[in-house]
Amino acid sequence: PLRDTDADGDTAAGDANTGAPGAKPGGAPSEWAAGGAATGLTVLVTGATGYIGGGILHILREAGIDVLAGVRSTASLPAGATVLLTGDLTGSGLKLPPMEAVIHAAGLGHRRGVATETWRRANVDAAVNLARAAREAGAKRFILISTAHVHGRVHQGMVTDTTPPNPMDAYAESKLQAEHDVAAAFGPGLCIIRPVAVIGPGCPGNIQLLLKLLARGIPLPFGAVQNRRSFIARDDLARIVRAALQAPAMPESMLAAHWETISTPDLIRALAQGLGTEARLPACPPHILAAASAMLGRSAMWQSLSGDFVANPAAARAMDWEPAASLAETFQETARYYNTTT
């Protein structure tokens, strides 16, 4: 099934997220069948029950923007939202009601063992089909949530809004192909947003694994790692999306990243502080960890934990966006939330 795109190379939360934080509790959502009239509802957010899509939905509604929450089925609906049942986005005959903009945050998150055709169907075909339907519905703007993963898991030097792509796996290749094909399908009015690893309370992926290990008091042998990596809080990403949506002219593509960076050891220390525990970080030589990771088939995870990836969100900053908190504070908040849910 199509799930909320993760943007950081880790498995996305998808439909497990039943709504955006801050949505009105209770209250049955309104529903519109795809193709029906929806007067005054001008912005569609797909992947609205997922981690990233749910965050975008919340921030747009908070700003008073009329939003349709695009969902595949009624199995999980965001509370208090007006819902558009899209069905399978790859299906033929997809029709949308009149709208001004579409934000596509649905897709298949990074994971192992996925066939190339599955990547293409979920991340390319669905996006292209939606872009065509959006143009037919009169949409003037289409925001595609892609991933900074198209620049690789690691990168020497600064990644900028104009850095040439360098996808390192089938997931990133599918996201890059989606960028190209959606541009051809929608034409002018497309903005591609490439988030780095997305963090915040309830974020999926490697952060959850680190939290589990820290909570159990297990030493993490990363004390000798000296790296710098970019991250972005989910709500900060959503505010960049809002800024692009409301900008007089959207950039064709841009990175979404906090302007701070953080090392893996400091990231772990921030998580430990939020958990109220001690970070035990023995300094195991990185080359030994790299060899062990290769033997276990987890070289990609090791690259994400040990390598550099520093992004410069110049286009986002030019729209007067700024992050709401430091990276350390966001990691601490993420850990505190973990404590309340386990």
Side-chain angles (χ1 to χ4, degrees):
L2 298 185
R3 297 183 172 217
D4 179 35
T5 189
D6 64 329
D8 66 348
D10 296 323
T11 302
D15 292 341
N17 185 345
T18 57
K24 295 178 183 177
S30 305
E31 293 182 17
W32 292 92
T39 303
L41 298 171
T42 59
V43 180
L44 170 66
V45 178
T46 65
T49 58
Y51 187 71
I52 292 175
I56 294 171
L57 180 70
H58 169 58
I59 291 297
L60 295 187
R61 292 178 65 199
E62 188 178 64
I65 297 172
D66 292 323
V67 187
L68 277 171
V71 298
R72 181 181 175 125
S73 72
T74 58
S76 178
L77 299 175
T82 301
V83 171
L84 176 70
L85 299 177
T86 63
D88 185 350
L89 291 176
T90 64
S92 60
L94 176 65
K95 299 292 184 183
L96 300 176
M99 59 186 61
E100 296 176 4
V102 172
I103 300 165
H104 184 44
L108 186 61
H110 191 279
R111 64 199 66 187
R112 296 189 296 172
V114 176
T116 300
E117 181 55 33
T118 302
W119 286 125
R120 177 169 184 84
R121 182 175 181 276
N123 290 343
V124 183
D125 295 348
V128 171
N129 203 32
L130 180 67
R132 289 172 178 156
R135 183 58 83 186
E136 291 174 1
K140 299 297 189 292
R141 294 189 171 195
F142 191 102
I143 297 177
L144 176 65
I145 307 301
S146 183
T147 173
H149 214 62
V150 299
H151 296 294
R153 285 183 295 274
V154 294
H155 193 280
Q156 296 300 315
M158 184 80 69
V159 179
T160 71
D161 294 313
T162 58
T163 297
N166 180 36
M168 298 175 67
D169 54 34
Y171 162 72
E173 289 171 356
S174 74
K175 300 296 278 188
L176 183 61
Q177 188 65 50
E179 294 182 8
H180 293 160
D181 292 1
V182 168
F186 191 79
L190 170 66
C191 175
I192 298 165
I193 298 182
R194 295 170 171 170
V196 295
V198 181
I199 59 173
C203 65
N206 289 339
I207 299 302
Q208 293 300 310
L209 176 59
L210 291 174
L211 285 167
K212 289 177 183 178
L213 296 174
L214 283 168
R216 294 173 183 172
I218 297 175
L220 299 173
F222 305 129
V225 171
Q226 298 179 353
N227 66 337
R228 307 302 303 176
R229 294 195 72 84
S230 290
F231 294 87
I232 187 164
R234 180 182 67 161
D235 285 355
D236 283 337
L237 168 58
R239 291 184 183 99
I240 289 176
V241 172
R242 184 184 67 192
L245 183 67
Q246 297 177 322
M250 297 191 302
E252 292 183 1
S253 68
M254 61 176 170
L255 293 162
H258 200 292
W259 51 57
E260 296 176 353
T261 59
I262 194 168
S263 69
T264 295
D266 285 344
L267 179 164
I268 293 171
R269 292 184 185 100
L271 291 175
Q273 184 174 349
L275 289 173
T277 189
E278 179 184 359
R280 302 168 65 188
L281 288 165
C284 182
H287 71 275
I288 294 178
L289 293 175
S293 299
M295 291 177 60
L296 294 171
R298 303 309 297 266
S299 292
M301 178 182 285
W302 170 245
Q303 286 180 322
S304 295
L305 288 170
S306 65
D308 290 327
F309 192 97
V310 177
N312 177 14
R317 296 183 73 168
M319 295 189 300
D320 293 329
W321 166 83
E322 61 181 43
S326 70
L327 285 181
E329 289 168 338
T330 302
F331 280 115
Q332 291 165 19
E333 181 187 10
T334 301
R336 287 192 293 268
Y337 177 83
Y338 178 86
N339 261 344
T340 67
T341 57
T342 55

